């Protein structure tokens, strides 16, 4: 797609912002030197002050008999493959971010993109940052303009983005799929794609001037959830050395939900196949991919004994996770993302929360009755933020802080221009240093904040320490001290403002884990206590024998 085609297609839907998005990707592009990968030679382009390689296959097309199978290596090619345009994105029902420009979609979508600093030597051994996009494992792409790595690469790092399978095509488990698998598992195909991309980076990135022994994965929302799972997965050992998680983790007591286990996920998959009137896996594979995507499906990681051998909480709590440096955090107003089309009042706040969470949780630890609609709305947003993201990131930081490497923890509260608050994803434009792709006029303060976050993130990728000259000091996280980096209009370390709310959630989840792990003992003890109580009541009310005179 040329720049003119890009503008003509996208302006109708996204207005003037599309012109900026297309310009970032197409202006000033000239051919660059070729690089030899294990599959063949590729030639990138010079663009926006970086050398970019677009649409590099890291796995064979997952189509036909390869649908719902682990990714296979890409076929080698002869000659020089031009890497001057992005591949189609994986099939999805929507978009993430929701204002992302539309891109061509195809089931053949397992490709990656690389941004390197201009004139970087193949011997440079630069730090590598691999971005894993969010979107609920249902939407997302490695080529949306917001994630372009040109600005970060100019700070002396290599940026890699990639696509992974989404929705049912990426996360369907089914008894028959498990039977045909060498490991007797199914689901998690999207996570296996992530592993394949990271393996490709380890095997090939040195040819681009990158250091395969200094790789940082970073991601947001379900991308960060994926990273927490990758750190817990034995299959990801030694594929990366550092991890940045932005607003997403997988630390809830998953054993309380049977669908996170393989058997439960297979039952859901069998019901999904029945809705499509498919009597066998062969019939499912024969269906057009568009029909599969059109059928409602809720993707999730599966504890299958292969990719995940136990819940990530168990892995981290017992220090069995992969040994990596960690930087994690969340945004103050994450809950704003879930306000769309909803009016929260003092009268309906509790009922609205019970639509999103089990009623007993809302009753036990939810916000108390609000005095007015404004305070009800604020309480709703805060509880949604803490339950969905805040507790996960705090727990990830706490568990990682107990390791020898420690962890860095942040809370982002800066309100971007034109926004109501620091909603879900608000930090991404600042991290990628892309003020040109965001609606609203950035102030000098916004630009300084973006420069600061880009420096923190790339410093961490280089050394495992985000600190640097002229940056506010970021201490390592200790839950009991004022060591959270508070990123607002000013940046400083301090105590976590919502700590009490997170502690309430933590006590509830700890109780759930105890009940799940020792339920039979608790039931026995409760039964014994009931018997003792009955015995004491019988003694109390038994007629007394007349005393002998």
């Amino acid at each position: 797609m040329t720049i003119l085609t890009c503008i003509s297609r996208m302006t109708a839907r996204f207005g003037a912002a599309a012109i900026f998005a297309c310009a970032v990707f197409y202006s000033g592009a000239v051919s660059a030197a070729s690089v030899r990968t294990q599959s063949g030679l590729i030639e990138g382009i010079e663009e926006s002050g970086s050398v970019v390689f677009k649409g590099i296959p890291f796995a064979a097309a997952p189509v036909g008999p390869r649908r719902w199978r682990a990714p296979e290596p890409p076929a080698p090619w002869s000659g020089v493959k031009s890497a001057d345009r992005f591949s189609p994105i994986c099939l999805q029902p929507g978009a993430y971010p929701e204002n992302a420009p539309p891109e061509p979609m195809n089931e053949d979508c397992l490709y990656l993109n690389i941004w390197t600093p201009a004139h970087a030597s193949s011997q440079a051994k630069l730090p590598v940052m691999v971005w894993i996009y969010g979107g609920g494992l249902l939407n997302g792409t490695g080529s949306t303009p917001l994630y372009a790595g040109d600005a970060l690469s100019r700070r002396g790092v290599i940026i890699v983005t990639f696509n992974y399978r989404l929705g049912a095509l990426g996360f369907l488990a089914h008894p028959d799929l498990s039977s045909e698998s060498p490991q007797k598992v199914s689901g998690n195909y999207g996570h296996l794609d992530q592993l394949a991309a990271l393996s490709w980076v380890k095997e090939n990135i040195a040819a681009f001037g990158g250091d395969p022994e200094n790789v940082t994965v970073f991601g947001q929302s379900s991308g960060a959830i994926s990273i927490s799972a990758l750190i817990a997965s034995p299959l990801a050992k030694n594929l990366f050395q550092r991890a940045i998680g932005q607003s997403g983790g997988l630390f809830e007591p998953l054993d309380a939900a049977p669908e996170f286990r393989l058997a439960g996920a297979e039952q859901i998959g069998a019901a999904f196949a029945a809705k499509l009137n498919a009597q066998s896996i062969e019939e499912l594979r024969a269906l057009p991919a568009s029909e599969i995507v059109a059928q409602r499906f809720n993707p999730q990681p599966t504890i299958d004994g292969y990719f995940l051998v136990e819940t990530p909480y168990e892995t981290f709590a017992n220090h069995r996770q992969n040994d990596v440096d960690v930087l994690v955090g969340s945004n103050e107003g994450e809950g704003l993302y879930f306000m769309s089309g909803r009016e929260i009042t003092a009268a309906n706040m509790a009922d609205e929360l019970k639509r999103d969470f089990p009623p007993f949780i809302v009753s036990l630890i939810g916000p108390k009755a609000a005095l007015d609609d404004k305070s009800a709305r604020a309480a709703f947003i805060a509880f949604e933020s803490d339950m969905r993201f805040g507790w996960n990131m705090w727990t990830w930081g706490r568990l990682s802080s107990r390791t020898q490497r420690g962890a860095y923890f942040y809370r982002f509260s800066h309100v971007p221009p034109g926004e109501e608050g620091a909603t879900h994803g608000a930090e991404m434009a600042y991290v990628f240093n892309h003020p040109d792709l965001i609606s609203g006029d950035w102030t000098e303060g916004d630009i300084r904040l973006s420069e600061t976050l880009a420096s923190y993130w790339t410093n961490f990728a280089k050394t495992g320490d985000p600190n640097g000259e002229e940056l506010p000091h970021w201490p390592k996280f200790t839950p009991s001290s004022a060591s959270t980096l508070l990123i607002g209009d000013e940046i400083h370390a301090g105590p976590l403002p919502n700590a009490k709310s997170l502690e309430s959630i933590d006590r509830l989840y700890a109780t759930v884990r105890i009940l799940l792990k020792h339920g039979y003992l608790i039931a026995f003890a409760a039964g014994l206590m009931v018997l003792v109580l009955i015995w004491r009541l019988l003694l109390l009310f038994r007629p007394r024998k007349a005393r002998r005179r």
Side-chain angles (χ1 to χ4, degrees):
M1 182 167 64
T2 67
I3 185 170
L4 293 177
T5 305
C6 175
I7 291 173
S8 65
R9 287 183 182 179
M10 298 183 184
T11 301
R13 182 175 175 186
F14 294 95
I19 298 175
F20 292 104
C22 294
V24 168
F25 276 59
Y26 290 95
S27 62
V30 297
S31 296
S34 59
V35 173
R36 181 172 295 280
T37 71
Q38 292 190 355
S39 298
L41 283 167
I42 59 171
E43 183 180 69
I45 54 175
E46 294 183 12
E47 186 178 82
S48 302
S50 301
V51 177
V52 191
F53 301 84
K54 302 177 181 179
I56 306 171
F58 68 86
V63 300
R66 286 193 289 267
R67 182 187 285 177
W68 294 310
R69 284 199 168 103
E72 300 175 7
W77 60 84
S78 58
V80 179
K81 181 185 286 292
S82 179
D84 63 348
R85 64 189 62 194
F86 294 115
S87 72
I89 66 176
C90 293
L91 291 166
Q92 51 198 274
Y96 186 81
E98 292 180 355
N99 62 349
E103 300 179 67
M105 292 189 290
N106 199 294
E107 193 172 2
D108 177 8
C109 62
L110 299 184
Y111 298 83
L112 56 77
N113 317 294
I114 301 174
W115 284 261
T116 70
H119 314 299
S121 163
S122 60
Q123 307 300 317
K125 298 194 73 172
L126 296 173
V128 182
M129 299 182 72
V130 181
W131 173 254
I132 303 179
Y133 56 76
L137 304 178
L138 195 64
N139 299 304
T141 158
S143 50
T144 197
L146 178 60
Y147 305 151
D150 53 323
L152 292 181
S153 71
R154 290 194 290 270
R155 296 173 179 271
V157 299
I158 290 177
I159 302 298
V160 180
T161 67
F162 65 92
N163 298 331
Y164 60 91
R165 284 173 282 180
L166 298 163
L169 291 170
F171 293 91
L172 180 74
H174 190 283
D176 293 345
L177 288 173
S178 297
S179 295
E180 71 177 25
S181 160
Q183 294 80 26
K184 303 304 176 186
V185 300
S186 60
N188 288 335
Y189 301 107
H191 291 313
L192 297 181
D193 294 343
Q194 295 165 358
L195 288 168
L198 289 167
S199 296
W200 190 97
V201 168
K202 189 174 183 67
E203 295 165 357
N204 291 277
I205 204 65
F208 297 82
D211 183 355
E213 301 303 323
N214 189 5
V215 175
T216 298
V217 289
F218 68 130
Q220 184 264 350
S221 195
S222 60
I225 289 173
S226 296
I227 289 170
S228 68
L230 288 165
I231 297 176
S233 175
L235 302 183
K237 187 175 183 179
N238 298 326
L239 289 181
F240 55 91
Q241 289 68 45
R242 316 190 203 289
I244 300 174
Q246 302 166 209
S247 304
L250 193 64
F251 295 94
E252 295 95 343
L254 301 182
D255 281 334
E259 60 267 26
F260 280 94
R261 293 284 177 179
L262 181 58
E266 288 175 339
Q267 290 179 7
I268 291 174
F272 178 83
K275 290 178 182 178
L276 290 168
N277 297 316
Q279 303 301 314
S280 66
I281 293 302
E282 289 72 22
E283 290 186 18
L284 268 179
R285 287 195 171 112
L287 286 174
S290 58
E291 289 188 23
I292 294 168
V293 174
Q295 180 65 49
R296 183 177 177 84
F297 182 81
N298 294 318
Q300 63 189 35
T302 299
I303 303 166
D304 57 1
Y306 177 59
F307 173 70
L308 287 175
V309 298
E310 59 188 350
T311 69
Y313 185 93
E314 289 177 283
T315 301
F316 277 70
N318 292 287
H319 308 291
R320 291 192 284 261
Q321 74 267 36
N322 297 320
D323 186 24
V324 299
D325 297 316
V326 167
L327 185 157
V328 295
S330 62
N331 299 350
E332 181 180 68
E334 305 271 10
L336 283 165
Y337 189 77
F338 306 95
M339 288 289 295
S340 180
R342 303 170 78 170
E343 182 179 355
I344 305 302
T345 66
N348 73 4
M349 178 187 67
D351 290 336
E352 286 293 319
L353 285 173
K354 289 174 183 178
R355 287 175 53 190
D356 295 345
F357 307 103
F360 83 93
I361 288 181
V362 177
S363 299
L364 285 173
I365 61 172
K368 305 306 177 187
L371 296 177
D372 53 52
D373 293 349
K374 183 178 179 180
S375 58
R377 194 172 191 276
F380 177 92
I381 292 169
F383 190 70
E384 291 271 353
S385 300
D386 291 344
M387 282 293 297
R388 292 181 184 271
F389 303 105
W391 179 86
N392 262 301
M393 309 318 289
W394 179 66
T395 298
W396 190 347
R398 282 186 305 132
L399 294 175
S400 298
S401 72
R402 300 170 186 172
T403 68
Q404 186 174 358
R405 290 178 181 257
Y408 294 93
F409 187 64
Y410 73 86
R411 177 177 167 89
F412 184 90
S413 61
H414 176 76
V415 181
E419 299 291 339
E420 180 182 349
T423 187
H424 191 54
E427 85 291 353
M428 289 196 290
Y430 295 88
V431 167
F432 279 97
N433 202 202
H434 278 316
D436 51 326
L437 298 180
I438 299 299
S439 60
D441 296 326
W442 273 28
T443 66
E444 289 185 6
D446 289 297
I447 293 171
R448 285 195 302 272
L449 176 59
S450 183
E451 294 289 333
T452 298
L453 290 197
S455 293
Y456 278 137
W457 262 236
T458 53
N459 286 348
F460 179 79
K462 292 172 184 177
T463 66
D465 185 342
N467 290 290
E469 292 184 10
E470 300 182 3
L471 292 175
H473 180 63
W474 190 341
K476 282 198 171 182
F477 181 53
T478 304
S480 59
S481 67
S483 56
T484 300
L485 191 73
L486 304 175
I487 305 172
D489 294 336
E490 297 180 356
I491 300 176
H492 61 91
L496 192 59
N498 58 332
K500 289 186 178 180
S501 172
L502 301 181
E503 289 166 358
S504 295
I505 299 170
D506 193 57
R507 286 191 292 270
L508 175 65
Y509 283 166
T511 302
V512 171
R513 282 192 297 271
I514 291 171
L515 289 172
L516 290 170
K517 188 173 182 179
H518 304 293
Y520 66 97
L521 290 176
I522 293 172
F524 175 78
L528 187 61
M529 290 176 65
V530 169
L531 290 174
V532 170
L533 179 60
I534 293 172
W535 176 70
R536 290 182 65 102
L537 288 172
L538 288 174
L539 287 179
L540 182 63
F541 292 105
R542 178 184 295 176
R544 295 181 181 179
K545 294 181 180 179
R547 292 182 182 178
R548 293 182 181 179
R549 295 183 181 272

